[in-house]
Amino acid sequence: MTTLYEGHVFTPRASGTGPYFGHYRVAVQGSDATASPWVDLAKSWPTQQLACDDATRAARFAIDARNYGSASSRAVEAAARVMMLDGNASGWADAVKAQRAAARERDSLEARLLGAREAHWPDVLVHDDGAGPSRSR
């Protein structure tokens, strides 16, 4: 079952015959999801449903982590634009609004990520646009 979440598509699955293990793969919406590698989760579960639920939570965490990185970059870039403009320059108000919007998005994602990581999940593995996989702990 493929699910759309925050601009990404992910597929969770469970394997095994008891114990069961969760797996997921993530792709940017609009790209080929089958080209993404499967990420294997190490913790076993007594039922397929629990393993699949674990994979879903892990995939959402990986997507939130990638989106957090993008929002943080946009917030820094927007802050730099604000600092380069004079308060009387045209576009200054729009630059300040963009900075605040990026900071709100970053802070919202950070709050979602805090405490959400499970100790048994592997490094976050998602693919950036053509840049290859990025890992984060």
Side-chain angles (χ1 to χ4, degrees):
M1 178 176 79
T2 300
T3 304
L4 183 62
Y5 178 76
E6 299 291 333
H8 291 74
V9 175
F10 72 89
T11 307
R13 77 172 184 199
S15 65
T17 56
Y20 298 94
F21 295 88
H23 318 275
Y24 70 88
R25 67 176 165 201
V26 175
V28 175
Q29 186 178 2
S31 66
D32 181 16
T34 60
S36 298
W38 285 99
V39 177
D40 301 321
L41 304 176
K43 183 174 182 181
S44 64
W45 294 93
T47 67
Q48 280 185 318
Q49 185 60 52
L50 288 173
C52 195
D53 290 347
D54 189 42
T56 297
R57 286 190 307 272
R60 287 183 174 177
F61 183 88
I63 291 166
D64 286 342
R66 181 187 188 275
N67 288 345
Y68 173 76
S70 297
S72 294
S73 295
R74 283 196 313 278
V76 168
E77 290 168 4
R81 278 196 307 273
V82 169
M83 290 189 311
M84 291 171 32
L85 290 173
D86 183 305
N88 298 320
S90 65
W92 185 82
D94 290 337
V96 169
K97 287 178 188 174
Q99 178 191 10
R100 289 181 179 160
R104 273 195 306 277
E105 181 183 355
R106 178 201 60 210
D107 294 346
S108 172
L109 285 163
E110 182 178 21
R112 201 181 308 172
L113 289 170
L114 288 175
R117 178 134 172 24
E118 297 288 337
H120 65 278
W121 290 348
D123 293 346
V124 172
L125 177 59
V126 292
H127 286 265
D128 290 331
D129 301 330
S134 62
R135 289 190 174 273
S136 171
R137 256 195 207 274

